[in-house]
């Protein structure tokens, strides 16, 4: 019922056009209330004239709605492009951090020399100032994208805290390194999910390799060692 009401209110000009046109045809065909042919034709002409004005008004409004929808879609795409740029920056930082941690794990497993402390401040997950500043504007994108970004923010905050603890002197043993690697892999998986909604076709070139979908790169890099 509500859907019908919304349709009528959004297309009231078209509804009135149909009503007036139908009534005009009825007057011409049936000549109610004892109208003679001339009176019926005059009334029908007035009804058809009003219907024509309403039809023109409905067409103009439909065009305006279409243009507004197109502009809105264009703004959303621009918004996604800017968000995707920040997500690429985050992705590069996470992959650098995971390579560092995984190298330390390989070295420890091979009984190599690895310091018990590590300054991870250069590898802290990068911020997303533009995305974080959007506020309610972020509602323009799909709900799934918003959920993925919110989850990513939360997980990156946890990862930053863990890195800060290591930088502050927490022993960077094999267990800690493995937990960090798994955490970074989880961050990448969530980031890949965000990309699948924001910029599913975004590609990234790594070193001398051919450009590849960021989602595929992240999923591969997220695998535990």
């Amino acid at each position: 019922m509500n859907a019908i009401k919304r349709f009528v209110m959004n297309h009231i000009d078209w509804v009135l056009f149909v009503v007036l046109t139908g009534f005009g045809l009825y007057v011409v065909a049936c000549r109610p209330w004892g109208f003679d042919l001339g009176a019926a034709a005059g009334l029908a002409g007035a009804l058809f004239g009003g219907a024509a004005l309403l039809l023109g008004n409905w067409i103009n409004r439909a065009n305006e709605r279409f243009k507004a929808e197109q502009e809105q879609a264009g703004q959303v795409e621009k918004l996604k492009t800017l968000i995707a740029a920040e997500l690429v920056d985050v992705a590069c930082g996470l992959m650098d951090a995971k390579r560092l941690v995984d190298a330390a794990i390989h070295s420890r497993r091979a009984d190599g020399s690895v310091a018990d402390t590590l300054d991870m401040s250069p590898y802290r997950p990068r911020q997303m100032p533009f995305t974080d500043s959007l506020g309610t504007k972020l509602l323009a994108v799909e709900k799934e994208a918003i959920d993925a970004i919110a989850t990513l923010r939360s997980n990156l905050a946890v990862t930053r805290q863990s890195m800060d603890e290591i930088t502050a002197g927490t022993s960077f043993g094999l267990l800690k390194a493995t937990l960090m690697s798994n955490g970074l892999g989880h961050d990448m998986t969530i980031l890949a999910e965000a990309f699948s909604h924001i910029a599913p076709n975004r590609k990234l070139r790594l070193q001398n390799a051919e450009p590849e979908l960021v989602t595929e790169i992240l999923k591969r890099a997220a695998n535990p060692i």
Side-chain angles (χ1 to χ4, degrees), residues 146-219:
I146 296 173
D147 291 343
I149 290 174
T151 304
L152 177 64
R153 284 173 175 167
S154 177
N155 279 269
L156 292 181
V158 173
T159 300
R160 290 189 192 99
Q161 182 178 354
S162 297
M163 288 185 174
D164 290 343
E165 291 173 356
I166 294 172
T167 300
T170 299
S171 178
F172 190 61
L174 181 59
L175 177 59
K176 187 69 173 180
T178 302
L179 290 174
M180 175 59 67
S181 177
N182 292 339
L184 289 167
H186 183 58
D187 292 344
M188 291 180 187
T189 301
I190 297 171
L191 182 54
E193 178 69 16
F195 266 108
S196 69
H197 297 293
I198 296 294
N201 297 319
R202 186 63 180 261
K203 292 186 177 182
L204 182 65
R205 183 193 296 272
L206 295 179
Q207 297 177 349
N208 296 323
E210 290 295 319
E212 188 178 359
L213 290 175
V214 180
T215 51
E216 296 302 318
I217 294 174
L218 286 170
K219 289 175 182 177

Side-chain angles (χ1 to χ4, degrees), residues 63-159:
N63 286 334
E64 290 174 359
R65 281 196 299 269
F66 177 76
K67 290 179 181 178
E69 290 171 357
Q70 291 296 103
E71 290 177 359
Q72 176 67 17
Q75 291 298 322
V76 170
E77 287 306 311
K78 291 178 182 178
L79 189 66
K80 287 183 175 181
T81 299
L82 294 173
I83 294 174
E86 285 194 327
L87 294 181
V88 168
D89 188 44
V90 173
C92 292
L94 290 178
M95 287 188 288
D96 286 344
K98 194 167 188 301
R99 277 193 290 267
L100 173 72
V101 174
D102 288 352
I105 292 174
H106 281 301
S107 182
R108 285 195 177 277
R109 287 176 177 174
D111 295 327
S113 176
V114 178
D116 289 332
T117 59
L118 180 66
D119 180 10
M120 296 208 69
S121 54
Y123 298 93
R124 296 176 84 248
R126 297 167 186 175
Q127 300 287 346
M128 298 184 291
F130 174 76
T131 304
D132 292 341
S133 69
L134 288 175
T136 56
K137 292 181 180 178
L138 193 59
L139 295 174
V141 302
E142 297 86 349
K143 179 181 180 299
E144 293 80 6
I146 296 173
D147 291 343
I149 290 174
T151 304
L152 177 64
R153 284 173 175 167
S154 177
N155 279 269
L156 292 181
V158 173
T159 300

